[in-house]
Amino acid sequence: MSDDENLIRVAVAVPHAEGFDYVWAGAGERPAVGSRVRVPFGRGERVGIVIEHPATTKLARAKIRPCDSTIDAGPIIATELLDILRFAADYYHHPIGEVVKHALPASLRGGRALAATRDTAWRLTDLGREQARAPSARLGIRQGAVLMALANETSVGARELSRRGAARAFLKRLAKRGFVEAFELADAPPRRSVSRPQGLELTSDQATALEALEAEAEGFAAFLLHGVTGSGKTEIFLRLIEKVLERGRQTLLLVPEIGLTPQLVGRLRERFGDALVVLHSALTPRERAVAWGEAQSGEAMLVVGTRSAVFAPLPHAGLVIVDEEHDPSYKQQDGFRYSARDLAVARARRLGVRVVLASATPSLESLQNVSSGRYRLLRLPRRIGAAGPPAFRLIDLQKHATRQGLSTPLLASIDAHLGRGNQVLLFINRRGFAPALFCPQCNTAEECDRCDARMTVHARTGSILCHHCGSERALRWACPRCGTERIGVGAGTERVTDELRSLYPERRIERLDSDVTSRRGALAAVLENVARGDTSILVGTQMLTKGHDFPRVTLVGVLNADQGLFGTDFRRNERLAQTIVQVAGRAGRRDQPGEVVIQTHFPEHPLLRSLLDQDYTAFAELALEERRRASWPPFSHLAVWRAEATQRQRVFEFLTKLRDHATGQNVAVRVLGPAPASMERSRGRYRGQLLFECGERNALHTLVTAMLEELRQWRETRRVRWAIDIDPAEL
Ligand SMILES: [Zn+2]
Ligand SMILES: [Zn+2]
């Protein structure tokens, strides 16, 4: 133990639970908490963030290394953001350095300066103006276009130019030739103008919800906005954001995926223009740094982003919204396993602002938070302008055979809807041609070498593919063992599409799955063809559920509801109900109600009955009651230890030892397992898990902390890869 007035605690991105202590040896005061420093680390040097000015350290005086190099003049991470990062590190039991690393754009982690934001602008020089009036030099098409853009306006911000497609390279070439010059815009005020389409009236449900939200405009309050599909949730977001913007405050809007929902970002861009920045994983490091910098400087009044945007800087926060709050993608499934939805609530509380969780199919956790009084429920029970809710129909597959996944009654419905000039959506949660390649002679299906999984047949690419690890082999119909012609068993999107094309050769039938959308621009093209009415039938996976607006669809078919009915994960029913309700929400239009046809072998299953005879709320009540009886979340708290190794025995030895140490330490915590993971072998590694379950969160966390401390002494940890997953999304 040593005391020093000049101690700093620094988060460095290494797998170490806490920060590292140094003594400040540079000129002047200790660097501020939240600023970056360069510290000696091992034999090299690292960039870290000062997270604390501690009074004492556990290190011996002689062991404290000096640090004398700062990068920033002041904090680049505000105290509030640092607070939530530390909270997240504690709560998810993840090293603080790794958590901080997750929150910062790569260029800042590397020690570069905060990226210049839209302070930089470009204008023509005298020479450039002459060139624009009477061209004397020969310019390429792109350089010419940039020059003309600048000639028509006195100056244009770098950001705006890049949006118009002017690459930096062209600007630099023009600058080199003396035609343009860059200059600093002196504190350009952020654009706060808002353009709202004329004559857009709120429904009475919308108005009531908005009023309730506005009544709590100051301070922390949590709302669950349960609005059926098409009830106008987005318009409520837009009005709220507008009001927050008028007060000069920022909004953070989290969405599960940005690529799949171009319509939402389009609407936001239309309404808020330049005040909006988007943060997601497909940005280049530079784009990310710029967007982050604009949120940080307060120029960006609206930050829209996926999971990690929950850590965006928000110096003037006024509102946090989590759209599609039930979506499992808010939980990170590897590394730093946090829930962006849960952290959004925790952050809003610290910021002292409202948080709105919205969904057509709220998670059972959030509904329980309404029951316990933590969240306030706002409902939008009616669709705007639609003829009414869709009618559900179950088709019993024990009575009706299917051909390539399609039963006769479903085909009859498809015929009827197409005959009336409408469109059809078919949902099947399997991409590819067939989920198994089966030899009737050997009685076996081809399996992946590295996973406990069957290879999926992809006829288009002539390959078989493991959907878990991505292993790929050429498709050969002849069995390698006996030479018999093998068969593709079951149906995926490719096969269903093929079948429909042969049944309706004159119609346009398209597919929407990740095989299609991996081609650049393909998603937009598919969505456009449906929106224009050119596509008669769209066959797709989970992607169909992602909030698309298809105005002429009147029939939705769910081809294999049974996949979600049985299994070991306690959330399977909830996920299935959410999928069915979300995909069903695409059916129906102004003048004709929609129809939803579900194919199942279990038409009497209570889950399907509650959903169909009543609605999602009725299902949720039933499902919550089941969870309460089985004491699953939200009526208990879970932590899962996940372990994997190339040898099965090592995984189980490790988890068994962990169990033996944990058992009896706290009677409130139930220790269950070890058990194999739902797919035991994946990517050539064996996987197992040990479950901690407890009614009180604190007892659970105390035990996890104790076990982590214990694990530090173990040699086994070198031979197995392990992780702790708090509030797991999947078991
Ligand atoms: Zn065979
Ligand atoms: Zn595999």
Side-chain angles (χ1 to χ4, degrees):
M1 282 276 275
S2 352
D3 299 329
D4 200 302
E5 285 183 356
N6 271 329
L7 288 171
I8 53 174
R9 189 158 292 158
V10 179
V12 179
V14 291
H16 186 280
E18 291 147 47
F20 295 87
D21 292 346
Y22 292 88
V23 63
W24 175 242
E29 297 274 292
R30 281 182 285 192
V33 170
S35 62
R36 290 174 299 170
V37 287
R38 284 181 208 284
V39 291
F41 199 87
R43 275 180 223 161
E45 194 188 65
R46 296 277 188 127
V47 172
I49 296 267
V50 179
I51 54 169
E52 204 179 326
H53 287 163
T56 62
T57 173
K58 286 181 201 159
L59 293 176
R61 178 81 225 175
K63 286 208 162 171
I64 313 175
R65 300 175 75 174
C67 159
D68 60 8
S69 169
T70 57
I71 296 172
D72 309 301
I76 62 158
I77 297 187
T79 315
E80 170 274 322
L81 181 52
L82 202 53
D83 262 4
I84 193 78
L85 293 173
R86 298 184 69 157
F87 167 78
D90 283 349
Y91 185 85
Y92 293 103
H93 298 274
H94 201 72
I96 180 69
E98 303 258 349
V99 171
V100 170
K101 174 181 157 192
H102 190 87
L104 284 184
S107 62
L108 293 181
R109 303 200 297 260
R112 248 176 275 160
L114 258 178
T117 60
R118 74 185 86 152
D119 302 341
T120 307
W122 295 85
R123 63 188 167 204
L124 293 183
T125 58
D126 288 345
L127 195 64
R129 264 188 291 279
E130 219 163 279
Q131 168 76 14
R133 250 196 326 270
S136 53
R138 278 179 64 92
L139 295 177
I141 293 173
R142 297 286 302 275
Q143 288 185 52
V146 174
L147 196 80
M148 288 322 290
L150 288 170
N152 292 329
E153 294 161 59
T154 27
S155 70
V156 185
R159 190 178 135 91
E160 178 60 27
L161 277 172
S162 89
R163 183 175 305 147
R164 295 183 198 175
R168 261 188 101 67
F170 295 109
L171 286 162
K172 281 195 164 162
R173 245 173 268 167
L174 284 168
K176 217 169 172 185
R177 301 172 72 167
F179 292 135
V180 304
E181 62 187 2
F183 68 104
E184 297 288 303
L185 274 177
D187 294 323
R191 220 185 90 176
R192 288 178 188 172
S193 65
V194 169
S195 56
R196 185 194 297 167
Q198 292 298 306
L200 202 57
E201 291 274 327
L202 293 181
T203 63
S204 65
D205 291 334
Q206 283 176 317
T208 310
L210 195 62
E211 208 172 290
L213 284 160
E214 276 304 293
E216 306 278 344
E218 291 303 321
F220 171 75
F223 295 88
L224 176 64
L225 178 60
H226 180 186
V228 300
T229 336
S231 60
K233 271 184 297 140
T234 310
E235 188 56 35
I236 294 191
F237 299 165
L238 297 176
R239 301 279 174 122
L240 272 179
I241 296 167
E242 243 177 70
K243 291 192 189 290
V244 169
L245 211 124
E246 279 162 16
R247 293 181 206 120
R249 312 270 292 273
Q250 291 172 298
T251 298
L252 171 66
L253 168 58
L254 295 181
V255 294
E257 267 158 303
I258 280 188
L260 287 177
T261 50
Q263 287 163 338
L264 174 65
V265 176
R267 267 178 86 179
L268 293 166
R269 179 88 63 202
E270 216 170 86
R271 195 78 70 96
F272 301 108
D274 253 4
L276 161 75
V277 291
V278 178
L279 277 171
H280 58 93
S281 55
L283 297 178
T284 65
R286 198 190 137 71
E287 287 170 333
R288 196 176 173 76
V290 169
W292 198 90
E294 293 192 1
Q296 162 95 324
S297 68
E299 282 168 89
M301 300 303 284
L302 171 56
V303 179
V304 181
T306 47
R307 195 166 55 215
S308 66
V310 72
F311 301 118
L314 298 167
H316 312 296
L319 173 67
V320 177
I321 302 173
V322 184
D323 195 17
E324 310 294 352
E325 65 89 28
H326 66 280
D327 198 294
S329 72
Y330 282 122
K331 179 81 199 285
Q332 175 134 318
Q333 301 285 8
D334 52 12
F336 173 29
R337 296 166 189 253
Y338 66 99
S339 158
R341 177 198 61 199
D342 295 349
L343 285 178
V345 177
R347 191 160 181 208
R349 184 188 299 277
R350 279 169 174 70
L351 288 166
V353 303
R354 286 167 297 173
V355 59
V356 183
L357 308 182
S359 176
T361 52
S363 63
L364 296 183
E365 278 91 347
S366 294
L367 287 169
Q368 180 56 26
N369 278 329
V370 168
S371 299
S372 68
R374 267 194 285 265
Y375 299 170
R376 242 182 91 185
L377 180 66
L378 302 171
R379 299 197 61 184
L380 301 175
R382 280 173 287 266
R383 304 165 105 194
I384 297 175
F392 282 91
R393 188 151 65 96
L394 291 178
I395 292 175
D396 185 350
L397 291 183
Q398 305 208 46
K399 292 188 190 143
H400 300 279
T402 59
R403 225 176 97 93
Q404 324 296 22
L406 302 158
S407 65
T408 319
L410 175 59
L411 284 170
S413 280
I414 293 175
D415 251 357
H417 283 262
L418 292 182
R420 289 196 286 270
N422 293 323
Q423 292 170 301
V424 173
L425 282 191
L426 296 178
F427 170 75
I428 176 162
N429 210 6
R430 280 170 180 159
R431 63 193 167 90
F433 181 79
L437 180 57
F438 183 77
C439 172
Q441 189 69 38
C442 306
N443 211 18
T444 52
E446 185 144 348
E447 300 212 338
C448 175
D449 294 338
R450 308 167 69 208
C451 309
D452 293 333
R454 289 173 171 175
M455 301 294 275
T456 301
V457 180
H458 285 249
R460 292 275 187 294
T461 49
S463 57
I464 53 175
L465 210 68
C466 171
H467 284 184
H468 301 281
C469 70
S471 290
E472 191 174 0
R473 294 199 280 270
L475 168 62
R476 297 198 206 298
W477 289 105
C479 173
R481 256 171 291 180
C482 70
T484 305
E485 177 86 351
R486 290 184 288 180
I487 42 179
V489 177
T493 47
E494 274 186 16
R495 190 173 215 165
V496 173
T497 310
D498 286 355
E499 175 69 8
L500 290 164
R501 281 181 183 153
S502 71
L503 289 172
Y504 301 100
E506 75 292 358
R507 292 196 180 266
R508 185 179 194 123
I509 302 183
E510 289 207 84
R511 197 155 55 93
L512 184 66
D513 59 28
S514 57
D515 293 327
V516 173
T517 57
S518 59
R519 292 194 299 272
R520 221 185 150 81
L523 172 71
V526 170
L527 295 180
E528 214 178 292
N529 287 337
V530 178
R532 258 208 316 265
D534 292 353
T535 302
S536 296
I537 307 177
L538 183 63
V539 179
T541 57
Q542 206 73 23
M543 284 187 179
L544 288 180
T545 63
K546 303 284 178 185
H548 307 297
D549 190 16
F550 301 131
R552 292 182 52 203
V553 170
T554 50
L555 172 65
V556 166
V558 177
L559 300 194
N560 57 344
D562 299 347
Q563 270 190 326
L565 285 175
F566 304 97
T568 54
D569 197 305
F570 69 94
R571 282 185 219 270
R572 70 193 180 279
N573 285 347
E574 181 184 356
R575 298 259 192 269
L576 176 66
Q578 287 163 346
T579 301
I580 290 179
V581 173
Q582 293 280 349
V583 74
R586 313 293 148 219
R589 45 191 277 189
R590 222 163 273 275
D591 49 347
Q592 293 168 41
E595 188 187 358
V596 179
V597 173
I598 299 174
Q599 300 189 146
T600 174
H601 287 93
F602 308 95
E604 294 308 318
H605 195 284
L607 157 72
L608 289 176
R609 294 260 59 112
S610 70
L611 203 56
L612 273 43
D613 296 345
Q614 301 174 60
D615 58 6
Y616 183 79
T617 305
F619 154 78
E621 277 168 17
L622 198 71
L624 271 169
E625 197 39 51
E626 259 178 37
R627 295 266 187 98
R628 187 196 301 277
R629 261 185 272 127
S631 111
W632 283 119
F635 303 99
S636 67
H637 305 285
L638 300 182
V640 179
W641 298 88
R642 303 184 189 277
E644 57 172 65
T646 47
Q647 289 170 32
R648 186 175 192 276
Q649 191 193 351
R650 285 193 174 155
V651 173
F652 280 84
E653 277 172 8
F654 170 77
L655 290 173
T656 305
K657 187 172 170 187
L658 195 64
R659 179 198 64 198
D660 293 344
H661 273 269
T663 305
Q665 291 226 9
N666 187 324
V667 287
V669 182
R670 276 203 297 164
V671 181
L672 304 160
S678 64
M679 192 200 312
E680 185 173 16
R681 200 168 54 102
S682 172
R683 293 165 201 271
R685 300 175 76 88
Y686 290 87
R687 306 184 303 168
Q689 60 194 35
L690 184 70
L691 184 63
F692 286 7
E693 186 248 50
C694 187
E696 311 154 51
R697 201 183 276 290
N698 286 345
L700 182 72
H701 280 256
T702 308
L703 182 57
V704 170
T705 306
M707 294 314 296
L708 285 168
E709 199 57 45
E710 168 74 28
L711 273 174
R712 285 193 196 180
Q713 331 289 329
W714 290 13
R715 295 174 61 88
E716 288 88 342
T717 54
R718 291 177 210 166
R719 295 192 307 201
V720 290
R721 242 189 248 161
W722 63 271
I724 178 76
D725 187 354
I726 305 292
D727 305 335
E730 276 165 27
L731 289 185

